[in-house]
């Protein structure tokens, strides 16, 4: 979960869409985080992943960690509630089908 709340931030709008100013970036990310974001993507239109995307990455990391500790695909399937074939595919990400920027 987030260590802060965005509910107290009143984002400005432009043409009915929320806009992010430098000041708001600093409030949300701090000076170092805002500087890093601006350095890499400043001036570009960027699509920010959703919290569900973050959960998928964390789930994949947990599965990979279990493999690194020696778990079998069957053990991982049972532990994480996925099929054995899905566990096998997750062990080797190069076999996953790509759907745009998302791995499925």
């Amino acid at each position: 979960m987030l260590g802060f709340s965005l509910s107290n931030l009143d984002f400005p709008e432009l043409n009915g869409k929320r806009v992010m100013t430098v000041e708001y970036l600093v409030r949300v990310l701090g000076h170092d985080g805002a500087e890093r974001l601006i350095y890499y993507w400043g001036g570009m239109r960027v699509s920010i992943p959703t919290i569900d995307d973050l959960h998928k990455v964390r789930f994949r990391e947990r599965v990979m960690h279990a493999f690194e500790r020696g778990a079998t695909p069957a053990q991982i399937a049972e532990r994480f509630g996925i099929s054995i074939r899905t566990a096998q595919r997750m062990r080797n990400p190069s076999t996953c089908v790509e759907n745009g920027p998302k791995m499925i």
Side-chain angles (χ1 to χ4, degrees), residues 83-99:
S83 71
I84 294 173
R85 182 67 189 123
T86 297
Q88 291 168 333
R89 281 194 308 268
M90 290 178 81
R91 179 170 47 187
N92 188 2
S94 65
T95 63
C96 291
V97 177
E98 297 242 344
N99 180 11

Side-chain angles (χ1 to χ4, degrees), residues 21-38:
T21 64
V22 173
E23 292 80 11
Y24 282 94
L25 279 177
V26 170
R27 286 174 68 184
V28 172
L29 303 173
H31 287 283
D32 291 342
E35 184 175 343
R36 191 173 308 123
L37 186 72
I38 291 166

Side-chain angles (χ1 to χ4, degrees), residues 15-65:
N15 298 328
K17 296 185 179 181
R18 293 192 322 185
V19 269
M20 183 60 70
T21 64
V22 173
E23 292 80 11
Y24 282 94
L25 279 177
V26 170
R27 286 174 68 184
V28 172
L29 303 173
H31 287 283
D32 291 342
E35 184 175 343
R36 191 173 308 123
L37 186 72
I38 291 166
Y39 175 80
Y40 285 103
W41 294 289
M44 297 174 72
R45 179 170 284 198
V46 179
S47 176
I48 305 297
T50 66
I51 197 72
D52 288 339
D53 295 328
L54 178 61
H55 290 175
K56 288 175 188 176
V57 168
R58 288 179 176 164
F59 178 76
R60 204 174 309 124
E61 288 171 349
R62 289 175 44 220
V63 168
M64 293 307 296
H65 187 65

